[in-house]
C-alpha cells in the first residue's frame, strides 16, 4: 500500500503539506540523529497556539543495509538502496546528501549520474572534469509526494569516455562509487492511530521501518521475577519480528516515555499515570492513547526533558490482578496475536503447550530433512534476477552453533537454476559463495549442459529458458551460526565490433525454489566455552527456542539499566530463534547458593553479579571483577609446542599460568563463560559492567555484527578502544557423537597417543605377519620332509 492508493493517507498528506505552507515550516536539515521540533500553527488573537510535532530522521546508506560503497561499473549500470516509512508517520520533507567519486576519464558534458526515487527521476549528479577523482558531496531535495510505504533510491551511471561515434559502454574507464556514508534525511509528522489491536503489532513495530527497533518497557517499580518472565516473553517475540534490524528495550520505572511503549502493571503494582485506569480482575491486553492516562504535565506540551510531547503516542497495556495473571496476558499476546481485535481483550485462558524440542527454532534450518530454498526466502521473486550484471541472489541460513561437521565431506547442496539461453558459448557463469567466501562456479553453456549438469525442460518455457542441476558441497569449515549463500550470475555481452550496437538487456536468471541444502545427519557436539556461539545465536540458551532450560540470574535489586540488559538479551535470542521465551526462568543472586542440583543453563547479568560468582565459584572463573579490583588470568600458551613439533598443527592450552590483580575504576565491560559447577555439561554466561555505561556498551557490542565477529573464547573484554577475547580456564564438551567419531575426535586432540597407537598397531601387524610367514615356512618344510 502506498500514499497514492490509500485515500486516508493521501488526504492526510495534502493536509499536512498545506499546514506546513501556512506555518512557513523550515527546510529539513541534515541532523546526525532523530530530533523532534514543535511548530506553532497560526491562531487567532486570544487562542493558545497548538503545536505540531515533526521528527527529523537521518540515516546513512550503510544504516539502511548497504555495503561500504555502492559501485557503478559501465555505462547504464545502476545501484540502489531501499527505505520505508511507518504507517503512523507523514513525510513532509526529504533531502538526499550523496557522497560519490568517479573516473577521471569520463567526458563532463556527456556524463552524469541519474537519481531515481521509485523509478522517477529526482535529480542529476554532475561530473565536472576538475573534480574527477575527488570525493564530491551533492544535496538533492526529494518531493515528499513521491515517498510511499516502501521506497527505492536508484543511481544510474550515464558515462561516456570518447567523442567518437562508437564506444564500449562496458569500458573499464566508466566507473563511479556511491559512498555508504551518504545520508537520507526525512522530516515526518506523526499521524493519529486508532486504539485497535487488530492492527497489532503496529504501531509498536512497523515492518516498513528499516531502522533498529527501540521499544521502551515500563514497570511501576522494581518488577518481580514473574513480571520479568512475562516481559521477557514479549520482548523476545518483538525481537523475532525485528530480525535483521536489531532491537533494544529501554526500561522506565514509573515514568512514561514520550513514544510508543509497553506497560506491565498489576493491580498491586501500578505506576501513577494509571491511577484512573480501571482495575482488572482477569488477564487483560489493551492499547491506549497518551491522553487517556493521568499526566498532569502534558498541558505544557513538553515532557520533563523539555522535548515536545507526541500526543499520538500509543501504549500497550499488559494487565492482571496479580503477577500470575500478568504472565498469562503476556503469553496470550505473543501466542494469540492473530485473533486480537478491538481496544481491549480479556484473556480467558492460555495453554502454552509442551516444551519445544531442542533445535526446533522456527528460524533455524531443518535438521531432519533437506531444506528447500523456497522455505528460506519471503517469496519466489527473491530468487530471480535480470540483466547482464544482475544483483546477487542471497539466501540466509541460521544453524545451531553445535552442529558437528568435522571431517565431513561438506554440506551437500542440490542446485537447480534457469537462465535465458546463450547466443553462443562464452564466459557467462554462476558463482556460488557463502558468507562472501567463494565456494563453486558453474559455466553457463549454450545448451544448458556441462559436467554432471542435465537439461531440464519446462513445458511453458520450452523455447525460452534452459535449466541446469548441480550437486556440490559447501566446505564445513565455512559454515557458522548465521550464514548467507550468495548466487552471482554474470552474463557476457556479445558485440561483434565496436560499432556493432549494444545488446538488448533482456537476460533473466533464477534459482529454483526446489533447490535444497541438506544438514540432516550431522551430530550435535561442541567444545565450550565459546562466547562466539552466545554472541551470534544465544547458544546454548537457544538450544530450546522457548528457553525451557534457561535461567536468568539478576541482582536482588536491579537497576533499570540492568533490566534493559535482560530484556535486550532476550530480544536478541528471539531474533535468533523467531520464538518467544515463554519458559524462561528468572531468579536472584541470593537464590543460587541453596541450589545443589540445578540442571539449567545460567545467564547472569548485572554490575554486582560477579561478587556472587566470586564467592561461590572462584575456582571456576577465568577472570573477574570485584569492588576491590580486577583479576585477570592468562593462558599458558597460545599454541602447544608438542602439537607443532609433531606436525599436527597448533592447539591452544587454556590453563591459567599467570594472574594479575589491579585496582582501577575505568570503563570495562566483560562477558565470561564457564561450565556450571551445579551440573556438568551445563553452561554459565555472565554479562558484567562496573557501571551502567559499561552495560550499555555491552548491549551495543552484541547488536553490532562487526563486534560480534571479534567475540570468542571464555572471556570477552570490552573497552572504549576495542574488544579482546581470551580462552582461559577449563574446556568442556556438550552434545554426543557416534563412537567412531568420538574416538577420532579424542585422538585428534592427543597426538602423542595417536602416534603411540599407530606405532603399536604397526608392531602388532608386523608381528602377526612374521608369525604367519613362520607358519607358512614350517608347513612347506613339513611337506617337503614327507
Amino acid at each position: 500500500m502506498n500514499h497514492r492508493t490509500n485515500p486516508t493517507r493521501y488526504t492526510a498528506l495534502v493536509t499536512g503539506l498545506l499546514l506546513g505552507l501556512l506555518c512557513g515550516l523550515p527546510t529539513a536539515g541534515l541532523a546526525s540523529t532523530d530530533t523532534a521540533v514543535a511548530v506553532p500553527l497560526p491562531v487567532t488573537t486570544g487562542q493558545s497556539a497548538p503545536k505540531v510535532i515533526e521528527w527529523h530522521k537521518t540515516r546513512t546508506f550503510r544504516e539502511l543495509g548497504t555495503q561500504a560503497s555502492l559501485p557503478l561499473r559501465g555505462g547504464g549500470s545502476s545501484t540502489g538502496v531501499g527505505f520505508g516509512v511507518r504507517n503512523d508517520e507523514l513525510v513532509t520533507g526529504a533531502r538526499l546528501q550523496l557522497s560519490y567519486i568517479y573516473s577521471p576519464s569520463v567526458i563532463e558534458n556527456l556524463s552524469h549520474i541519474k537519481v531515481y526515487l521509485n523509478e522517477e527521476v529526482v535529480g542529476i549528479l554532475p561530473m565536472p572534469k576538475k573534480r574527477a577523482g575527488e570525493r564530491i558531496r551533492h544535496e538533492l531535495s526529494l518531493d515528499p509526494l513521491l515517498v510511499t510505504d516502501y521506497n527505492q533510491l536508484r543511481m544510474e551511471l550515464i558515462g561516456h569516455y570518447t567523442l567518437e561515434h562508437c564506444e564500449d559502454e562496458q569500458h573499464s574507464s566508466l566507473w563511479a562509487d556511491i559512498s555508504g556514508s551518504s545520508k537520507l534525511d526525512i522530516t515526518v509528522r506523526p499521524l493519529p492511530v486508532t486504539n485497535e489491536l487488530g492492527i497489532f503489532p503496529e504501531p509498536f513495530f512497523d515492518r516498513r521501518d528499516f531502522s533498529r527497533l527501540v521499544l521502551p518497557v515500563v514497570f511501576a517499580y522494581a518488577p518481580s521475577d514473574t513480571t520479568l518472565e512475562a516481559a521477557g516473553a514479549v520482548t523476545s517475540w518483538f525481537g523475532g519480528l525485528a530480525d535483521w534490524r536489531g532491537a533494544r528495550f529501554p526500561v522506565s520505572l514509573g515514568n512514561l516515555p514520550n513514544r510508543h511503549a509497553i506497560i506491565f502493571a498489576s493491580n498491586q503494582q501500578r505506576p501513577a499515570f494509571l491511577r484512573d485506569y480501571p482495575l482488572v480482575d482477569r488477564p487483560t491486553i489493551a492499547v491506549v492513547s497518551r491522553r487517556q492516562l493521568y499526566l498532569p504535565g502534558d498541558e505544557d506540551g513538553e515532557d520533563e526533558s523539555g522535548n515536545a510531547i507526541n500526543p499520538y503516542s500509543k501504549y500497550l497495556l499488559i494487565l492482571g490482578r496479580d503477577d500470575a495473571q500478568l504472565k498469562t496476558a503476556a503469553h496470550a499476546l505473543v501466542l494469540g496475536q492473530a485473533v486480537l481485535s478491538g481496544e481491549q481483550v480479556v484473556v480467558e485462558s492460555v495453554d502454552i503447550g509442551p516444551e519445544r524440542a531442542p533445535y526446533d527454532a522456527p528460524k533455524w534450518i531443518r535438521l531432519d530433512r533437506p531444506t528447500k530454498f523456497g522455505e528460506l526466502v519471503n517469496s519466489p521473486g527473491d530468487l530471480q534476477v535480470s540483466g547482464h550484471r544482475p544483483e546477487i541472489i542471497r539466501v540466509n541460513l541460521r544453524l545451531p552453533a553445535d552442529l558437528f561437521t568435522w571431517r565431513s565431506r561438506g554440506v551437500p547442496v542440490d542446485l537447480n537454476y534457469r537462465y535465458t539461453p546463450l547466443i553462443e558459448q562464452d564466459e557467462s557463469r554462476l558463482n556460488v559463495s557463502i558468507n562472501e567466501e567463494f565456494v563453486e562456479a558453474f559455466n553457463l553453456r549454450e545448451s544448458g549442459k556441462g559436467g554432471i549438469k542435465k537439461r531440464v525442460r519446462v513445458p511453458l518455457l520450452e523455447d525460452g529458458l534452459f535449466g541446469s542441476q548441480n550437486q556440490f558441497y559447501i566446505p564445513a569449515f565455512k559454515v557458522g551460526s548465521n550464514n548467507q549463500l550468495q548466487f552471482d550470475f554474470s552474463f557476457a555481452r556479445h558485440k561483434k565490433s565496436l560499432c556493432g550496437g549494444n545488446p538488448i538487456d533482456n537476460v533473466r536468471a533464477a534459482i529454483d525454489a526446489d533447490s535444497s541444502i541438506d544438514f540432516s545427519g550431522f551430530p550435535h557436539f561442541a567444545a565450550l566455552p565459546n562466547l562466539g556461539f552466545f554472541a551470534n545465536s544465544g547458544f546454548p540458551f537457544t538450544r530450546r527456542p522457548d528457553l525451557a532450560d534457561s535461567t536468568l540470574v539478576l541482582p536482588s535489586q536491579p537497576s533499570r539499566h540492568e533490566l534493559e540488559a535482560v530484556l535486550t538479551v532476550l530480544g536478541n535470542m528471539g531474533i535468533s530463534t523467531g520464538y518467544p521465551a515463554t519458559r524462561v526462568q528468572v531468579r536472584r543472586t541470593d537464590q543460587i547458593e541453596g541450589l545443589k542440583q540445578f540442571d539449567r543453563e545460567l545467564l547472569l547479568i548485572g554490575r554486582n553479579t560477579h561478587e556472587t560468582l566470586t564467592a561461590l565459584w572462584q575456582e571456576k572463573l577465568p577472570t573477574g571483577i570485584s569492588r576491590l579490583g580486577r583479576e585477570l588470568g592468562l593462558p599458558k600458551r597460545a599454541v602447544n609446542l608438542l602439537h607443532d613439533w609433531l606436525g599436527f598443527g597448533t592447539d591452544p592450552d587454556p590453563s591459567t599460568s599467570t594472574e594479575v590483580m589491579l585496582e582501577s575504576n575505568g570503563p570495562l565491560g566483560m562477558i565470561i563463560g564457564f561450565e556450571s559447577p551445579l551440573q556438568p555439561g551445563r553452561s554459565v554466561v555472565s554479562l558484567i559492567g562496573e557501571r551502567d555505561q559499561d552495560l550499555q556498551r555491552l548491549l551495543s557490542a552484541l547488536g553490532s555484527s562487526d563486534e560480534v565477529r571479534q567475540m570468542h573464547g571464555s572471556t570477552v573484554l570490552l573497552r572504549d578502544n576495542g574488544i579482546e577475547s581470551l580462552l582461559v580456564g577449563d574446556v568442556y564438551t556438550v552434545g554426543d557423537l557416534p563412537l567412531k567419531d568420538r574416538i577420532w575426535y579424542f585422538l585428534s586432540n592427543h597426538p602423542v597417543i595417536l602416534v603411540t597407537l599407530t606405532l603399536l598397531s604397526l608392531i602388532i601387524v608386523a608381528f602377526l605377519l612374521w608369525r604367519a610367514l613362520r607358519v607358512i615356512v614350517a608347513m612347506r618344510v613339513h611337506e617337503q620332509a614327507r
Side-chain angles (χ1 to χ4, degrees):
M1 182 181 295
N2 57 47
H3 295 164
R4 286 169 288 184
T5 59
N6 188 334
T8 302
R9 292 198 65 179
Y10 183 79
T11 303
L13 175 62
V14 174
T15 303
L17 291 176
L18 290 175
L19 289 174
L21 292 174
L22 290 173
C23 301
L25 296 180
T27 303
L30 290 168
S32 57
T33 57
D34 297 352
T35 57
V37 294
V39 181
L41 293 178
V43 294
T44 58
T45 304
Q47 292 181 333
S48 60
K51 296 180 179 179
V52 175
I53 306 300
E54 288 195 341
W55 296 92
H56 296 290
K57 295 187 174 183
T58 301
R59 300 287 182 268
T60 66
F61 283 7
R62 194 177 293 109
E63 291 173 334
L64 292 173
T66 66
Q67 303 300 320
S69 65
L70 288 75
L72 294 165
R73 300 294 181 265
S77 60
S78 64
T79 186
V81 60
F83 69 96
V85 177
R86 293 175 57 92
N87 197 43
D88 59 348
E89 292 178 345
L90 173 71
V91 177
T92 59
R95 295 187 66 82
L96 192 62
Q97 186 184 76
L98 288 166
S99 174
Y100 63 102
I101 190 172
Y102 52 90
S103 169
S105 301
V106 297
I107 300 176
E108 177 178 357
N109 295 332
L110 300 178
S111 303
H112 55 274
I113 298 176
K114 296 171 67 176
V115 181
Y116 296 82
L117 174 58
N118 298 328
E119 295 308 311
E120 294 198 35
V121 179
V122 293
I124 300 296
L125 303 183
M127 292 184 167
K129 185 67 175 178
K130 62 181 180 180
R131 301 289 303 278
E134 300 178 9
R135 181 71 61 183
I136 297 179
R137 296 187 181 274
H138 190 85
E139 288 192 14
L140 294 174
S141 295
L142 305 179
D143 187 350
L145 291 174
L146 298 178
V147 180
T148 64
D149 294 341
Y150 295 98
N151 307 274
Q152 184 71 22
L153 279 168
R154 185 168 69 88
M155 283 67 69
E156 180 183 6
L157 174 61
I158 306 299
H160 297 275
Y161 63 93
T162 178
L163 294 175
E164 300 292 335
H165 178 66
C166 301
E167 63 178 350
D168 182 8
E169 66 175 10
Q170 296 302 310
H171 198 276
S172 60
S173 65
L174 297 178
W175 63 266
D177 282 328
I178 309 295
S179 173
S181 63
S182 300
K183 297 178 181 179
L184 171 68
D185 178 86
I186 59 175
T187 303
V188 298
R189 182 173 299 169
L191 296 176
V193 181
T194 57
N195 294 343
E196 175 57 58
L197 289 170
I199 64 173
F200 186 79
E202 294 181 21
F204 308 98
F205 169 76
D206 196 320
R207 296 186 183 277
R208 306 167 187 84
D209 190 351
F210 291 1
S211 58
R212 181 186 300 273
L213 173 65
V214 179
L215 183 59
V217 176
V218 183
F219 303 104
Y221 44 88
S224 66
D225 294 346
T226 303
T227 300
L228 274 178
E229 291 169 0
V234 174
T235 56
S236 60
W237 181 77
F238 271 104
L241 294 179
D243 199 16
W244 51 269
R245 300 169 182 84
R248 287 286 290 269
F249 300 95
V251 170
S252 176
L253 298 177
N255 297 318
L256 191 66
N258 188 20
R259 59 188 304 169
H260 305 314
I262 309 174
I263 302 171
F264 292 86
S266 64
N267 289 350
Q268 293 81 16
Q269 295 187 8
R270 282 200 167 196
F273 55 77
L274 284 179
R275 73 175 194 179
D276 296 334
Y277 197 85
L279 298 178
V280 298
D281 56 4
R282 287 181 294 176
T284 302
I285 305 169
V287 58
V288 298
S289 302
R290 189 177 181 95
R291 64 176 180 272
Q292 296 176 255
L293 305 177
Y294 174 73
L295 295 163
D298 278 11
E299 291 84 357
D300 299 331
E302 295 182 351
D303 61 13
E304 296 179 353
S305 302
N307 297 318
I309 290 176
N310 178 10
Y312 304 132
S313 295
K314 297 294 179 181
Y315 302 101
L316 180 66
L317 303 183
I318 311 296
L319 306 174
R321 186 177 63 250
D322 51 29
D323 292 346
Q325 286 195 359
L326 198 68
K327 191 173 181 178
T328 299
H331 287 168
L333 177 73
V334 299
L335 297 177
Q337 72 281 354
V339 295
L340 298 178
S341 64
E343 185 174 344
Q344 177 176 295
V345 171
V346 176
V347 181
E348 298 292 339
S349 64
V350 174
D351 180 9
I352 64 174
E355 294 182 0
R356 294 290 293 241
Y359 311 106
D360 190 30
K363 286 189 178 180
W364 288 4
I365 202 167
R366 294 293 297 264
L367 302 177
D368 57 343
R369 60 167 175 80
T371 304
K372 294 184 178 181
F373 286 2
E375 303 175 61
L376 302 174
V377 295
N378 295 325
S379 67
D382 295 337
L383 298 174
Q384 302 181 30
V385 291
S386 61
H388 283 87
R389 290 188 175 182
E391 295 289 331
I392 297 176
I393 297 174
R394 302 177 186 272
V395 178
N396 294 317
L397 309 172
R398 290 185 184 269
L399 300 170
D402 65 342
L403 206 61
F404 192 74
T405 57
W406 181 70
R407 296 185 70 244
S408 68
R409 186 178 178 184
V411 182
V413 178
D414 285 319
L415 180 63
N416 303 286
Y417 56 90
R418 293 172 288 118
Y419 54 92
T420 303
L422 307 179
I423 299 174
E424 60 184 51
Q425 186 60 49
D426 52 29
E427 295 298 319
S428 300
R429 61 176 53 89
L430 167 62
N431 293 313
V432 182
S433 304
I434 185 168
N435 302 326
E436 307 298 339
E437 295 187 27
F438 176 76
V439 174
E440 190 67 80
F442 302 101
N443 289 327
L444 305 182
R445 303 200 174 183
E446 187 177 358
S447 62
K449 299 178 180 179
I452 61 171
K453 305 172 188 174
K454 59 184 180 181
R455 182 170 177 175
V456 179
R457 287 288 188 178
V458 182
L460 295 178
L461 305 170
E462 182 69 23
D463 298 324
L465 299 178
F466 291 87
S468 292
Q469 182 180 32
N470 304 271
Q471 185 179 65
F472 64 97
Y473 290 84
I474 299 174
F477 66 88
K478 293 181 179 291
V479 180
S481 299
N482 298 327
N483 309 275
Q484 187 181 80
L485 279 172
Q486 294 106 16
F487 300 94
D488 186 8
F489 283 94
S490 61
F491 295 92
R493 293 176 178 262
H494 296 281
K495 202 171 184 181
K496 300 301 182 181
S497 65
L498 191 61
C499 297
N502 295 322
I504 300 176
D505 200 11
N506 61 351
V507 181
R508 301 289 185 271
I511 302 295
D512 286 349
D514 62 355
S515 300
S516 64
I517 185 168
D518 189 1
F519 283 93
S520 61
F522 291 104
H524 295 279
F525 186 81
L528 298 178
N530 187 339
L531 292 176
F533 292 170
F534 172 77
N536 276 287
S537 61
F539 187 86
F541 305 95
T542 51
R543 176 177 171 269
R544 288 185 181 270
D546 55 2
L547 303 193
D549 291 341
S550 301
T551 295
L552 282 170
V553 182
L554 299 177
S556 56
Q557 294 182 342
S559 68
R560 64 184 184 89
H561 295 285
E562 290 168 329
L563 295 174
E564 177 186 352
V566 170
L567 300 183
T568 299
V569 168
L570 289 174
N572 287 341
M573 292 182 183
I575 291 174
S576 175
T577 63
Y579 194 82
T582 54
R583 295 185 183 273
V584 68
Q585 186 181 83
V586 175
R587 293 291 182 267
R588 306 301 166 117
T589 52
D590 53 9
Q591 298 173 313
I592 296 181
E593 189 174 3
L595 301 174
K596 301 301 181 183
Q597 294 294 325
F598 203 52
D599 190 16
R600 299 177 72 86
E601 317 287 352
L602 298 178
L603 176 60
L604 293 88
I605 298 177
R607 291 176 295 174
N608 301 324
T609 302
H610 195 270
E611 296 180 10
T612 302
L613 293 179
T614 304
L616 295 176
W617 307 321
Q618 175 64 48
E619 69 283 355
K620 285 283 187 177
L621 299 181
T623 187
I625 295 180
S626 67
R627 289 185 179 179
L628 297 178
R630 303 173 180 178
E631 181 182 349
L632 176 63
L634 298 177
K636 283 184 177 180
R637 192 179 300 279
V639 298
N640 190 305
L641 291 182
L642 185 60
H643 277 63
D644 205 32
W645 179 72
L646 291 174
F648 288 92
T650 58
D651 200 36
D653 183 356
S655 57
T656 303
S657 64
T658 62
E659 293 186 0
V660 179
M661 184 63 127
L662 304 173
E663 289 189 10
S664 174
N665 59 0
L668 178 66
M670 181 181 298
I671 309 175
I672 61 174
F674 55 94
E675 186 177 19
S676 173
L678 302 176
Q679 184 69 33
R682 292 296 189 179
S683 300
V684 177
V685 175
S686 182
L687 278 67
I688 306 167
E690 289 187 313
R691 305 173 305 173
D692 291 333
Q693 299 93 314
D694 299 332
L695 283 176
Q696 296 293 309
R697 172 76 176 90
L698 279 173
L699 297 182
S700 298
L702 290 173
S704 169
S705 58
D706 292 335
E707 293 189 295
V708 163
R709 280 193 289 267
Q710 303 176 49
M711 298 183 183
H712 55 83
S714 62
T715 304
V716 174
L717 305 173
L718 292 96
R719 298 184 296 271
D720 290 339
N721 61 343
I723 296 178
E724 183 175 357
S725 298
L726 301 171
L727 177 58
V728 186
D730 298 333
V731 175
Y732 60 101
T733 59
V734 295
D736 192 25
L737 287 177
L739 180 60
K740 180 187 70 172
D741 290 338
R742 183 173 287 274
I743 291 173
W744 279 110
Y745 182 77
F746 173 80
L747 293 176
S748 69
N749 291 316
H750 298 82
V752 175
I753 297 178
L754 179 61
V755 171
T756 303
L757 291 176
T758 302
L759 293 176
L760 183 60
S761 300
L762 291 174
I763 293 172
I764 293 174
V765 170
F767 176 76
L768 293 176
L769 289 175
W770 176 73
R771 290 293 299 170
L773 291 174
R774 290 281 309 263
V775 171
I776 293 173
V777 169
M779 292 175 60
R780 288 183 178 178
V781 170
H782 181 69
E783 290 178 357
Q784 291 177 359
R786 294 177 58 188

